[in-house]
């Protein structure tokens, strides 16, 4: 095991760049995972990680020490691990991994989720996790969305990234025009209740940015306009919560 204690260490600097820069992640084709669960999910779905990095105190005992036992690791001083600022509460275990390349071309005939300018990393990760849990295989993110392979989105996704075809910087309008199924958007004006709408497969759901919702051009392009009935005292749902309601209503119909 190699112990790194200096912020001037070249390997630490490379970790810092991956933690902070989407450009660096795209250039190198690499990203960082935080925590045993993500590392295990990656290795089951993709294969061995490139490098395991563990905080110095985590080697004293416990789950992480057991997990890395017998494996080649790089040890970071705890202060350096915190300095990466990878997530709010670092687990003590990181991995450097190659980002899966996925399919280069979108599939126009499968259930999909389209994200229009969703900027919050936690929401994007939760949306990916919800889509994967609902059996969706493909997610498209428009320009302006949080970077799908950033550490915070990865942590919120809890392994969903490794079972999805993820397309970033996607032209959602073109995809919707060419899609061979039904496109559905959540909005209020001229919308049908989710529980009365025909949710035929294949189905592409469009979910919009926090606050602004889906852009007007995409609303106009959608074949279905859907609203979620809310008899309570609030007028809207968090985008990730709204997506969960819609996706699992479609699951309920198909399983019923």
């Amino acid at each position: 095991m190699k112990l790194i204690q200096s912020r001037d260490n070249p390997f630490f600097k490379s970790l810092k760049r991956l933690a902070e820069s989407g450009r660096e992640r795209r250039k190198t084709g690499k990203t960082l995972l935080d925590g045993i669960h993500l590392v295990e999910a990656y290795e089951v779905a993709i294969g061995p990680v490139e490098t395991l990095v563990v905080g110095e105190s985590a080697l004293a005992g416990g789950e992480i020490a057991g997990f890395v036992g017998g494996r080649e690791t790089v040890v970071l001083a705890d202060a350096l691990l915190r300095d990466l600022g990878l997530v709010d509460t670092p687990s003590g275990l990181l991995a450097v991994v190659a980002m899966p390349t996925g399919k280069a071309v979108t599939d126009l005939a499968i259930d999909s989720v389209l994200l229009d300018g969703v900027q919050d990393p936690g929401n994007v990760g939760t949306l990916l996790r919800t889509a994967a849990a609902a059996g969706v295989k493909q997610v498209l993110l428009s320009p302006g969305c949080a970077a799908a392979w950033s550490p915070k989105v990865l942590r919120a996704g809890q392994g969903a990234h490794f079972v999805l075809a993820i397309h970033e910087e996607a032209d959602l309008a073109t995809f919707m025009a060419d899609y061979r199924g039904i496109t559905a958007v959540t909005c209020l004006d001229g919308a049908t209740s989710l529980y009365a709408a025909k949710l035929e497969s294949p189905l592409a759901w469009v979910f919009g940015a926090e606050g602004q919702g889906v852009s007007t051009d995409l609303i106009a392009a959608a074949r279905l306009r859907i609203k979620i009935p809310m008899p309570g005292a609030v007028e809207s749902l968090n985008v990730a919560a709204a997506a969960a309601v819609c996706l699992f209503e479609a699951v309920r119909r198909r399983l019923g």
Side-chain angles (χ1 to χ4, degrees):
M1 294 184 181
K2 179 182 179 181
L3 174 62
I4 295 175
Q5 297 178 298
S6 170
R7 287 177 173 79
D8 295 325
N9 179 274
F11 180 72
F12 174 76
K13 288 183 175 180
S14 73
L15 294 180
K16 187 74 169 172
R17 290 193 297 270
L18 287 175
E20 296 178 346
S21 171
R23 178 178 296 180
E24 181 71 10
R25 292 190 290 270
R26 290 190 296 271
K27 182 178 78 173
T28 61
K30 298 177 183 178
T31 190
L32 300 176
L33 308 180
D34 179 271
I36 290 175
H37 174 78
L38 272 184
V39 173
E40 288 180 330
Y42 183 94
E43 294 193 324
V44 168
I46 309 298
V49 301
E50 182 177 302
T51 307
L52 277 175
V53 181
V54 62
E56 189 174 9
S57 64
L59 292 176
E63 187 179 13
I64 290 176
F67 181 78
V68 301
R71 300 184 62 168
E72 185 175 345
T73 62
V74 175
V75 182
L76 280 187
D78 291 337
L80 295 187
L81 189 65
R82 290 192 298 270
D83 191 49
L84 287 176
L86 199 64
V87 291
D88 294 336
T89 54
S91 69
L93 178 72
L94 306 179
V96 181
V97 300
M99 295 188 292
T101 54
K103 295 182 179 178
V105 180
T106 56
D107 191 327
L108 297 170
I110 62 171
D111 288 343
S112 303
V113 165
L114 283 57
L115 304 184
D116 180 25
V118 181
Q119 298 176 337
D120 181 77
N123 279 339
V124 172
T126 301
L127 283 157
L128 294 175
R129 185 179 182 182
T130 301
V136 173
K137 302 298 184 185
Q138 175 174 260
V139 178
L140 286 72
L141 292 82
S142 74
C145 285
W149 294 94
S150 70
K152 289 183 178 180
V153 174
L154 278 158
R155 192 175 201 187
Q158 289 291 296
H161 290 69
F162 314 138
V163 297
L164 290 169
I166 298 173
H167 303 274
E168 296 189 272
E169 301 292 319
D171 183 340
L172 302 188
T174 297
F175 177 87
M176 292 173 69
D178 295 338
Y179 189 62
R180 295 197 287 271
I182 303 297
T183 51
V185 62
T186 53
C187 64
L188 295 177
D189 295 337
T192 300
S193 167
L194 171 66
Y195 305 115
K198 292 183 179 180
L199 304 179
E200 299 175 355
S201 183
L203 183 61
W205 290 96
V206 188
F207 301 109
E210 302 86 349
Q212 300 94 321
V214 178
S215 58
T216 55
D217 60 328
L218 297 185
I219 291 175
R223 290 183 59 185
L224 277 179
R225 297 184 183 186
I226 300 293
K227 63 182 178 182
I228 301 171
M230 285 179 273
V234 296
E235 296 180 351
S236 64
L237 289 173
N238 169 278
V239 62
V245 172
C246 293
L247 291 172
F248 279 94
E249 173 61 14
V251 169
R252 184 191 69 81
R253 303 269 191 98
R254 293 171 191 179
L255 294 181

